[in-house]
Amino acid sequence: MIPQWKIYPRSQGHSTVYLKNVVTDPSIEVGEYTIYDDFVRDPRDFQRNNVLYHYPINHERLVIGKFCSIACGAKFLFNSANHTLGSLSTYIFPVLFEEWGLPVEDIPKAWDNKGDIVIGNDVWIGYEAIVMAGVTIGDGAIIGTRAVVTKDVPPYTIVGGVPAKPIRKRFDDETIKRLLALKWWDWPVEKIHRNLENIQSGNLEKLTTDT
């Protein structure tokens, strides 16, 4: 487990941070060892620059698992970025409640609430990709550069495009099933260290025999 005070995983550069140790918003949950890299802005400002339209009035969460890799400029757009489609107008009358004499508690009626954003473990989110409200991304998935993710992504699936669509699975169904059962990201750090060669080389057989 990384110390709570440790922000930068690399001594030779400060563009990459352990995201868990720079996020302060209690409605953003980040797992151990997940990293964010930003060569344009200070990566410590992820919460302000990358988690957008995320207002307390909606009581929504961003949940990111362990060992994820999030590239520069990736964005998470929450429900207030939406304008309601259930009205005859998309205009934000409830937000401008003072102008229109509406009750302040009706502000959320200005948008359609699609729920939380949930990112699994060992997910790679590419450069300037966008993940929309209500989306769940499964363990081991890959989100392509500048993809716009509007629907759930199955585990170990590569998606890309606007809107994002499946390109291919990373492994065959049986391998995916075994990996999801293995949950190596939940292992003690010592066991992960011991198995780094097997993880990196893709040696699933040796990985499953380690106790």
Side-chain angles (χ1 to χ4, degrees), residues 71-90:
C72 180
K75 300 287 195 300
F76 302 86
L77 266 62
F78 275 88
N79 291 287
S80 297
N82 300 315
H83 288 213
T84 182
L85 300 182
S87 168
L88 296 179
S89 171
T90 59

Side-chain angles (χ1 to χ4, degrees), residues 20 28 39 65 85 88 93 150 152 186 190-191:
K20 183 180 180 70
I28 302 176
F39 51 83
L85 300 182
L88 296 179
F93 289 108
T150 61
D152 292 353
D186 286 337
E190 296 76 16
K191 186 173 181 179

